[in-house]
């Protein structure tokens, strides 16, 4: 295991029973509190994609904005926010998806993804994959291609990888639990 992976694993904090009983929340705020570590994380995330054809990076609200924006800047491509319904100001494309209890909707601006563009989808964490799949649906509805998925953390036991690989098998996660 690399020094970086060890370092991140040491600082990510497990918060039991948040936001509801039975969930172990992987709190990345201690990573964000360490500026040198943030530089290393952004570098590691970017390095994976540097030799791929990438025309834009989506960050999923809200923790996906943090490193997604840095990846986009370092790759020299647009950062594209995907947000919960009702938050983006301009005209949007919407996708509804099922959660464990109930449903949710995500949106993207109609002009955020150009026809045929290759888009990497970034979020802080991959759990069941529902959120990343919603972002992938928005890319495809916009006329773009999903070039891959990028996560700081992947919770392997929840098998999100099996869902997202229906859109693209190029999946990069720094930390696996
Ligand atoms: P999912 O759609 O199940 O893959 O859930 C991924 C989204 O929910 C990401 O935006 C994560 O930030 C958040 N999330 C889900 N489970 C956790 C967890 N155990 N710890 C931290 N964030 C989580």
């Amino acid at each position: 295991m690399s020094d970086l992976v060890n370092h991140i694993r040491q600082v990510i904090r497990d918060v039991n029973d948040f936001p509801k009983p039975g969930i172990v929340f992987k709190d990345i705020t201690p990573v964000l509190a360490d500026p040198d570590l943030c530089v290393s994380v952004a570098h590691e995330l970017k390095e994976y994609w540097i030799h791929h054809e990438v025309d834009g990076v989506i960050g999923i609200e809200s923790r996906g904005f943090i490193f997604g924006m840095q990846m986009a800047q370092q790759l020299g491509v647009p950062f594209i926010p995907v947000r919960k319904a009702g938050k983006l100001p301009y005209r949007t494309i919407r996708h509804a998806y099922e959660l464990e209890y109930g449903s949710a909707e995500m949106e993207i601006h109609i002009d955020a993804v150009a026809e045929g563009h290759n888009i990497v989808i970034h979020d802080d964490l991959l759990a069941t994959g529902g959120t990343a799949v919603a972002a992938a649906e928005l890319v495809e509805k916009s006329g773009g291609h999903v070039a891959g998925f990028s996560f700081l953390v992947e919770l392997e036991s929840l098998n999100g990888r099996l869902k997202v690989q229906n859109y693209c098998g190029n999946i990069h996660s720094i930390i696996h639990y």
Side-chain angles (χ1 to χ4, degrees), residues 15 18-19 23-28 60-64 97-99 106 123-133 151 153 155 158 160 163-164:
V15 180
F18 182 86
I23 304 285
V24 180
F25 192 87
K26 298 291 183 190
D27 177 17
I28 65 162
I60 301 178
E61 182 178 3
S62 57
R63 288 180 296 279
Y97 62 107
E98 297 303 312
L99 296 171
M106 299 288 253
D123 203 356
D124 67 324
L125 182 141
L126 175 66
T128 65
T131 309
V133 162
F151 305 97
V153 176
L155 303 181
L158 296 175
K163 278 198 199 137
V164 302

mmCIF file of all heavy atoms in Angstrom, residues 15 18-19 23-28 60-64 97-99 106 123-133 151 153 155 158 160 163-164, ligand 1:
data_model
loop_
_atom_site.group_PDB
_atom_site.id
_atom_site.type_symbol
_atom_site.label_atom_id
_atom_site.label_comp_id
_atom_site.label_asym_id
_atom_site.label_seq_id
_atom_site.Cartn_x
_atom_site.Cartn_y
_atom_site.Cartn_z
ATOM 1 N N VAL A 15 -17.704 7.532 11.446
ATOM 2 C CA VAL A 15 -18.731 8.044 12.361
ATOM 3 C C VAL A 15 -19.890 7.055 12.336
ATOM 4 O O VAL A 15 -20.576 6.908 11.312
ATOM 5 C CB VAL A 15 -19.203 9.452 11.948
ATOM 6 C CG1 VAL A 15 -20.264 9.969 12.921
ATOM 7 C CG2 VAL A 15 -18.027 10.420 11.865
ATOM 8 N N PHE A 18 -24.437 7.475 11.472
ATOM 9 C CA PHE A 18 -24.728 8.745 10.808
ATOM 10 C C PHE A 18 -24.865 8.482 9.312
ATOM 11 O O PHE A 18 -24.013 7.795 8.740
ATOM 12 C CB PHE A 18 -23.604 9.768 11.047
ATOM 13 C CG PHE A 18 -23.895 11.113 10.412
ATOM 14 C CD1 PHE A 18 -24.634 12.076 11.082
ATOM 15 C CD2 PHE A 18 -23.479 11.382 9.098
ATOM 16 C CE1 PHE A 18 -24.928 13.290 10.483
ATOM 17 C CE2 PHE A 18 -23.778 12.600 8.498
ATOM 18 C CZ PHE A 18 -24.496 13.548 9.195
ATOM 19 N N PRO A 19 -25.873 9.034 8.637
ATOM 20 C CA PRO A 19 -26.958 9.882 9.149
ATOM 21 C C PRO A 19 -28.113 9.113 9.764
ATOM 22 O O PRO A 19 -29.058 9.725 10.236
ATOM 23 C CB PRO A 19 -27.428 10.631 7.890
ATOM 24 C CG PRO A 19 -27.160 9.691 6.764
ATOM 25 C CD PRO A 19 -25.939 8.910 7.155
ATOM 26 N N ILE A 23 -25.441 2.939 9.662
ATOM 27 C CA ILE A 23 -24.515 3.454 8.645
ATOM 28 C C ILE A 23 -23.206 3.860 9.332
ATOM 29 O O ILE A 23 -23.220 4.532 10.361
ATOM 30 C CB ILE A 23 -25.105 4.699 7.916
ATOM 31 C CG1 ILE A 23 -26.471 4.389 7.292
ATOM 32 C CG2 ILE A 23 -24.111 5.247 6.888
ATOM 33 C CD1 ILE A 23 -26.444 3.557 6.051
ATOM 34 N N VAL A 24 -22.086 3.433 8.756
ATOM 35 C CA VAL A 24 -20.769 3.924 9.204
ATOM 36 C C VAL A 24 -20.337 4.973 8.189
ATOM 37 O O VAL A 24 -19.966 4.649 7.062
ATOM 38 C CB VAL A 24 -19.731 2.800 9.279
ATOM 39 C CG1 VAL A 24 -18.392 3.356 9.756
ATOM 40 C CG2 VAL A 24 -20.212 1.676 10.187
ATOM 41 N N PHE A 25 -20.412 6.226 8.575
ATOM 42 C CA PHE A 25 -20.128 7.329 7.661
ATOM 43 C C PHE A 25 -18.618 7.563 7.594
ATOM 44 O O PHE A 25 -17.954 7.701 8.620
ATOM 45 C CB PHE A 25 -20.833 8.596 8.151
ATOM 46 C CG PHE A 25 -20.850 9.706 7.130
ATOM 47 C CD1 PHE A 25 -21.859 9.781 6.184
ATOM 48 C CD2 PHE A 25 -19.840 10.673 7.116
ATOM 49 C CE1 PHE A 25 -21.870 10.800 5.235
ATOM 50 C CE2 PHE A 25 -19.848 11.688 6.172
ATOM 51 C CZ PHE A 25 -20.864 11.749 5.229
ATOM 52 N N LYS A 26 -18.083 7.590 6.381
ATOM 53 C CA LYS A 26 -16.655 7.862 6.176
ATOM 54 C C LYS A 26 -16.485 9.378 6.067
ATOM 55 O O LYS A 26 -16.793 9.970 5.019
ATOM 56 C CB LYS A 26 -16.167 7.173 4.891
ATOM 57 C CG LYS A 26 -16.284 5.666 4.928
ATOM 58 C CD LYS A 26 -15.305 5.067 5.925
ATOM 59 C CE LYS A 26 -15.358 3.534 5.912
ATOM 60 N NZ LYS A 26 -14.597 2.947 7.022
ATOM 61 N N ASP A 27 -16.016 9.976 7.135
ATOM 62 C CA ASP A 27 -15.901 11.434 7.226
ATOM 63 C C ASP A 27 -14.540 11.872 6.680
ATOM 64 O O ASP A 27 -13.497 11.562 7.273
ATOM 65 C CB ASP A 27 -16.053 11.835 8.696
ATOM 66 C CG ASP A 27 -15.870 13.316 8.919
ATOM 67 O OD1 ASP A 27 -15.947 14.090 7.945
ATOM 68 O OD2 ASP A 27 -15.638 13.696 10.089
ATOM 69 N N ILE A 28 -14.577 12.624 5.564
ATOM 70 C CA ILE A 28 -13.307 13.045 4.936
ATOM 71 C C ILE A 28 -12.858 14.430 5.413
ATOM 72 O O ILE A 28 -11.837 14.929 4.938
ATOM 73 C CB ILE A 28 -13.390 13.031 3.391
ATOM 74 C CG1 ILE A 28 -14.405 14.063 2.858
ATOM 75 C CG2 ILE A 28 -13.695 11.633 2.871
ATOM 76 C CD1 ILE A 28 -14.215 14.398 1.384
ATOM 77 N N ILE A 60 -20.208 15.636 -8.143
ATOM 78 C CA ILE A 60 -21.563 15.437 -7.625
ATOM 79 C C ILE A 60 -21.704 16.150 -6.292
ATOM 80 O O ILE A 60 -20.861 15.988 -5.396
ATOM 81 C CB ILE A 60 -21.866 13.927 -7.471
ATOM 82 C CG1 ILE A 60 -21.727 13.211 -8.829
ATOM 83 C CG2 ILE A 60 -23.254 13.727 -6.893
ATOM 84 C CD1 ILE A 60 -21.955 11.708 -8.769
ATOM 85 N N GLU A 61 -22.791 16.950 -6.187
ATOM 86 C CA GLU A 61 -23.074 17.691 -4.948
ATOM 87 C C GLU A 61 -23.075 16.751 -3.747
ATOM 88 O O GLU A 61 -23.695 15.700 -3.809
ATOM 89 C CB GLU A 61 -24.425 18.388 -5.063
ATOM 90 C CG GLU A 61 -24.779 19.208 -3.850
ATOM 91 C CD GLU A 61 -26.110 19.945 -3.990
ATOM 92 O OE1 GLU A 61 -26.798 19.789 -5.012
ATOM 93 O OE2 GLU A 61 -26.441 20.665 -3.048
ATOM 94 N N SER A 62 -22.497 17.139 -2.642
ATOM 95 C CA SER A 62 -21.665 18.323 -2.507
ATOM 96 C C SER A 62 -20.187 17.975 -2.351
ATOM 97 O O SER A 62 -19.317 18.734 -2.746
ATOM 98 C CB SER A 62 -22.120 19.132 -1.292
ATOM 99 O OG SER A 62 -22.075 18.317 -0.136
ATOM 100 N N ARG A 63 -19.903 16.814 -1.777
ATOM 101 C CA ARG A 63 -18.485 16.509 -1.535
ATOM 102 C C ARG A 63 -17.721 16.191 -2.812
ATOM 103 O O ARG A 63 -16.498 16.275 -2.846
ATOM 104 C CB ARG A 63 -18.341 15.393 -0.489
ATOM 105 C CG ARG A 63 -18.686 15.870 0.920
ATOM 106 C CD ARG A 63 -18.538 14.745 1.936
ATOM 107 N NE ARG A 63 -19.452 13.652 1.714
ATOM 108 C CZ ARG A 63 -20.730 13.633 2.089
ATOM 109 N NH1 ARG A 63 -21.237 14.671 2.730
ATOM 110 N NH2 ARG A 63 -21.494 12.595 1.849
ATOM 111 N N GLY A 64 -18.458 15.876 -3.891
ATOM 112 C CA GLY A 64 -17.788 15.650 -5.172
ATOM 113 C C GLY A 64 -17.256 16.932 -5.788
ATOM 114 O O GLY A 64 -16.438 16.897 -6.717
ATOM 115 N N TYR A 97 -34.098 8.921 -9.439
ATOM 116 C CA TYR A 97 -33.599 7.583 -9.136
ATOM 117 C C TYR A 97 -34.052 7.152 -7.752
ATOM 118 O O TYR A 97 -34.412 7.985 -6.917
ATOM 119 C CB TYR A 97 -32.076 7.506 -9.289
ATOM 120 C CG TYR A 97 -31.286 8.409 -8.359
ATOM 121 C CD1 TYR A 97 -30.589 7.872 -7.274
ATOM 122 C CD2 TYR A 97 -31.240 9.781 -8.552
ATOM 123 C CE1 TYR A 97 -29.859 8.685 -6.426
ATOM 124 C CE2 TYR A 97 -30.524 10.598 -7.694
ATOM 125 C CZ TYR A 97 -29.836 10.043 -6.644
ATOM 126 O OH TYR A 97 -29.124 10.849 -5.797
ATOM 127 N N GLU A 98 -34.013 5.831 -7.548
ATOM 128 C CA GLU A 98 -34.510 5.254 -6.290
ATOM 129 C C GLU A 98 -33.421 5.245 -5.223
ATOM 130 O O GLU A 98 -32.258 4.948 -5.507
ATOM 131 C CB GLU A 98 -34.979 3.813 -6.515
ATOM 132 C CG GLU A 98 -36.145 3.683 -7.476
ATOM 133 C CD GLU A 98 -37.359 4.502 -7.054
ATOM 134 O OE1 GLU A 98 -37.752 4.425 -5.882
ATOM 135 O OE2 GLU A 98 -37.899 5.233 -7.908
ATOM 136 N N LEU A 99 -33.799 5.592 -4.012
ATOM 137 C CA LEU A 99 -32.907 5.443 -2.862
ATOM 138 C C LEU A 99 -33.407 4.249 -2.048
ATOM 139 O O LEU A 99 -34.436 3.657 -2.392
ATOM 140 C CB LEU A 99 -32.945 6.697 -1.983
ATOM 141 C CG LEU A 99 -32.435 7.991 -2.607
ATOM 142 C CD1 LEU A 99 -32.737 9.157 -1.688
ATOM 143 C CD2 LEU A 99 -30.950 7.887 -2.865
ATOM 144 N N MET A 106 -31.595 14.373 -9.564
ATOM 145 C CA MET A 106 -30.372 15.138 -9.805
ATOM 146 C C MET A 106 -30.527 15.917 -11.091
ATOM 147 O O MET A 106 -31.256 15.499 -12.005
ATOM 148 C CB MET A 106 -29.170 14.208 -9.942
ATOM 149 C CG MET A 106 -28.889 13.383 -8.732
ATOM 150 S SD MET A 106 -28.213 14.380 -7.416
ATOM 151 C CE MET A 106 -26.552 13.826 -7.492
ATOM 152 N N ASP A 123 -16.983 11.640 -7.411
ATOM 153 C CA ASP A 123 -17.645 11.863 -6.124
ATOM 154 C C ASP A 123 -16.672 11.442 -5.029
ATOM 155 O O ASP A 123 -15.678 10.760 -5.302
ATOM 156 C CB ASP A 123 -18.947 11.061 -6.031
ATOM 157 C CG ASP A 123 -19.919 11.655 -5.012
ATOM 158 O OD1 ASP A 123 -19.564 12.636 -4.317
ATOM 159 O OD2 ASP A 123 -21.045 11.127 -4.894
ATOM 160 N N ASP A 124 -16.951 11.848 -3.793
ATOM 161 C CA ASP A 124 -16.014 11.486 -2.725
ATOM 162 C C ASP A 124 -16.039 9.989 -2.455
ATOM 163 O O ASP A 124 -15.004 9.402 -2.152
ATOM 164 C CB ASP A 124 -16.297 12.288 -1.436
ATOM 165 C CG ASP A 124 -17.627 11.934 -0.784
ATOM 166 O OD1 ASP A 124 -18.600 11.664 -1.520
ATOM 167 O OD2 ASP A 124 -17.697 11.923 0.455
ATOM 168 N N LEU A 125 -17.229 9.379 -2.608
ATOM 169 C CA LEU A 125 -17.363 7.988 -2.151
ATOM 170 C C LEU A 125 -18.357 7.212 -3.014
ATOM 171 O O LEU A 125 -19.416 7.741 -3.379
ATOM 172 C CB LEU A 125 -17.833 8.013 -0.691
ATOM 173 C CG LEU A 125 -17.995 6.696 0.040
ATOM 174 C CD1 LEU A 125 -17.514 6.822 1.488
ATOM 175 C CD2 LEU A 125 -19.444 6.222 0.002
ATOM 176 N N LEU A 126 -18.007 5.983 -3.348
ATOM 177 C CA LEU A 126 -18.915 5.063 -4.051
ATOM 178 C C LEU A 126 -19.457 4.073 -3.034
ATOM 179 O O LEU A 126 -18.689 3.313 -2.429
ATOM 180 C CB LEU A 126 -18.162 4.325 -5.164
ATOM 181 C CG LEU A 126 -18.952 3.243 -5.922
ATOM 182 C CD1 LEU A 126 -20.099 3.857 -6.718
ATOM 183 C CD2 LEU A 126 -18.039 2.435 -6.846
ATOM 184 N N ALA A 127 -20.795 4.092 -2.868
ATOM 185 C CA ALA A 127 -21.429 3.120 -1.961
ATOM 186 C C ALA A 127 -22.247 2.155 -2.820
ATOM 187 O O ALA A 127 -21.681 1.279 -3.460
ATOM 188 C CB ALA A 127 -22.253 3.856 -0.912
ATOM 189 N N THR A 128 -23.567 2.348 -2.914
ATOM 190 C CA THR A 128 -24.381 1.437 -3.742
ATOM 191 C C THR A 128 -24.293 1.767 -5.232
ATOM 192 O O THR A 128 -24.717 0.982 -6.077
ATOM 193 C CB THR A 128 -25.866 1.508 -3.348
ATOM 194 O OG1 THR A 128 -26.356 2.818 -3.649
ATOM 195 C CG2 THR A 128 -26.073 1.220 -1.871
ATOM 196 N N GLY A 129 -23.818 2.963 -5.558
ATOM 197 C CA GLY A 129 -23.662 3.357 -6.954
ATOM 198 C C GLY A 129 -24.834 4.148 -7.518
ATOM 199 O O GLY A 129 -24.748 4.670 -8.633
ATOM 200 N N GLY A 130 -25.921 4.278 -6.754
ATOM 201 C CA GLY A 130 -27.112 4.972 -7.269
ATOM 202 C C GLY A 130 -26.844 6.412 -7.681
ATOM 203 O O GLY A 130 -27.340 6.874 -8.717
ATOM 204 N N THR A 131 -26.050 7.114 -6.892
ATOM 205 C CA THR A 131 -25.777 8.519 -7.169
ATOM 206 C C THR A 131 -24.924 8.672 -8.427
ATOM 207 O O THR A 131 -25.221 9.510 -9.302
ATOM 208 C CB THR A 131 -25.048 9.152 -5.965
ATOM 209 O OG1 THR A 131 -25.781 8.847 -4.774
ATOM 210 C CG2 THR A 131 -24.913 10.643 -6.118
ATOM 211 N N ALA A 132 -23.877 7.851 -8.542
ATOM 212 C CA ALA A 132 -22.991 7.938 -9.708
ATOM 213 C C ALA A 132 -23.734 7.526 -10.986
ATOM 214 O O ALA A 132 -23.523 8.111 -12.055
ATOM 215 C CB ALA A 132 -21.758 7.064 -9.497
ATOM 216 N N VAL A 133 -24.633 6.534 -10.858
ATOM 217 C CA VAL A 133 -25.440 6.121 -12.017
ATOM 218 C C VAL A 133 -26.344 7.272 -12.467
ATOM 219 O O VAL A 133 -26.510 7.506 -13.665
ATOM 220 C CB VAL A 133 -26.265 4.849 -11.681
ATOM 221 C CG1 VAL A 133 -27.413 4.669 -12.669
ATOM 222 C CG2 VAL A 133 -25.362 3.623 -11.691
ATOM 223 N N PHE A 151 -13.342 8.146 -7.631
ATOM 224 C CA PHE A 151 -13.778 8.271 -6.231
ATOM 225 C C PHE A 151 -12.554 8.334 -5.327
ATOM 226 O O PHE A 151 -11.521 7.719 -5.611
ATOM 227 C CB PHE A 151 -14.627 7.056 -5.815
ATOM 228 C CG PHE A 151 -15.815 6.816 -6.705
ATOM 229 C CD1 PHE A 151 -15.742 5.884 -7.731
ATOM 230 C CD2 PHE A 151 -16.980 7.550 -6.544
ATOM 231 C CE1 PHE A 151 -16.824 5.671 -8.582
ATOM 232 C CE2 PHE A 151 -18.071 7.351 -7.388
ATOM 233 C CZ PHE A 151 -17.990 6.407 -8.407
ATOM 234 N N VAL A 153 -13.017 7.273 -2.143
ATOM 235 C CA VAL A 153 -13.262 6.055 -1.349
ATOM 236 C C VAL A 153 -14.279 5.167 -2.057
ATOM 237 O O VAL A 153 -15.285 5.660 -2.571
ATOM 238 C CB VAL A 153 -13.833 6.431 0.042
ATOM 239 C CG1 VAL A 153 -14.177 5.174 0.839
ATOM 240 C CG2 VAL A 153 -12.859 7.302 0.818
ATOM 241 N N LEU A 155 -16.602 1.699 -1.168
ATOM 242 C CA LEU A 155 -17.027 0.686 -0.194
ATOM 243 C C LEU A 155 -17.380 -0.577 -0.979
ATOM 244 O O LEU A 155 -18.484 -0.707 -1.497
ATOM 245 C CB LEU A 155 -18.235 1.184 0.619
ATOM 246 C CG LEU A 155 -18.047 2.502 1.382
ATOM 247 C CD1 LEU A 155 -19.319 2.852 2.167
ATOM 248 C CD2 LEU A 155 -16.847 2.436 2.316
ATOM 249 N N LEU A 158 -20.642 -2.944 -0.959
ATOM 250 C CA LEU A 158 -21.946 -2.482 -1.452
ATOM 251 C C LEU A 158 -22.090 -2.632 -2.971
ATOM 252 O O LEU A 158 -23.147 -2.342 -3.541
ATOM 253 C CB LEU A 158 -22.202 -1.034 -1.017
ATOM 254 C CG LEU A 158 -22.297 -0.862 0.505
ATOM 255 C CD1 LEU A 158 -22.432 0.599 0.883
ATOM 256 C CD2 LEU A 158 -23.480 -1.650 1.055
ATOM 257 N N GLY A 160 -21.242 -1.102 -5.647
ATOM 258 C CA GLY A 160 -21.564 0.002 -6.556
ATOM 259 C C GLY A 160 -20.857 -0.123 -7.895
ATOM 260 O O GLY A 160 -21.388 0.277 -8.937
ATOM 261 N N LYS A 163 -22.801 -1.634 -10.679
ATOM 262 C CA LYS A 163 -23.805 -0.755 -11.323
ATOM 263 C C LYS A 163 -23.152 0.230 -12.265
ATOM 264 O O LYS A 163 -23.614 0.425 -13.394
ATOM 265 C CB LYS A 163 -24.573 0.032 -10.258
ATOM 266 C CG LYS A 163 -25.693 -0.728 -9.632
ATOM 267 C CD LYS A 163 -26.646 0.250 -8.949
ATOM 268 C CE LYS A 163 -27.498 -0.490 -7.938
ATOM 269 N NZ LYS A 163 -27.639 0.240 -6.702
ATOM 270 N N VAL A 164 -22.086 0.882 -11.802
ATOM 271 C CA VAL A 164 -21.523 1.953 -12.641
ATOM 272 C C VAL A 164 -20.808 1.397 -13.863
ATOM 273 O O VAL A 164 -20.725 2.059 -14.896
ATOM 274 C CB VAL A 164 -20.605 2.930 -11.855
ATOM 275 C CG1 VAL A 164 -21.364 3.557 -10.703
ATOM 276 C CG2 VAL A 164 -19.335 2.280 -11.380
HETATM 277 P P1 LIG B 1 -24.478 5.689 -3.300
HETATM 278 O O1 LIG B 1 -25.436 6.409 -4.203
HETATM 279 O O2 LIG B 1 -25.147 4.636 -2.455
HETATM 280 O O3 LIG B 1 -23.277 5.143 -4.050
HETATM 281 O O4 LIG B 1 -23.952 6.746 -2.251
HETATM 282 C C1 LIG B 1 -22.943 7.626 -2.584
HETATM 283 C C2 LIG B 1 -23.225 9.005 -2.087
HETATM 284 O O5 LIG B 1 -23.676 9.010 -0.743
HETATM 285 C C3 LIG B 1 -21.950 9.841 -2.122
HETATM 286 O O6 LIG B 1 -22.298 11.160 -2.530
HETATM 287 C C4 LIG B 1 -21.445 9.801 -0.706
HETATM 288 O O7 LIG B 1 -20.950 11.058 -0.308
HETATM 289 C C5 LIG B 1 -22.643 9.411 0.146
HETATM 290 N N1 LIG B 1 -22.381 8.261 1.022
HETATM 291 C C6 LIG B 1 -23.001 7.066 0.973
HETATM 292 N N2 LIG B 1 -22.587 6.244 1.934
HETATM 293 C C7 LIG B 1 -21.627 6.918 2.613
HETATM 294 C C8 LIG B 1 -20.780 6.579 3.729
HETATM 295 N N3 LIG B 1 -20.819 5.396 4.328
HETATM 296 N N4 LIG B 1 -19.905 7.524 4.147
HETATM 297 C C9 LIG B 1 -19.839 8.736 3.548
HETATM 298 N N5 LIG B 1 -20.617 9.105 2.505
HETATM 299 C C10 LIG B 1 -21.520 8.208 2.038
#
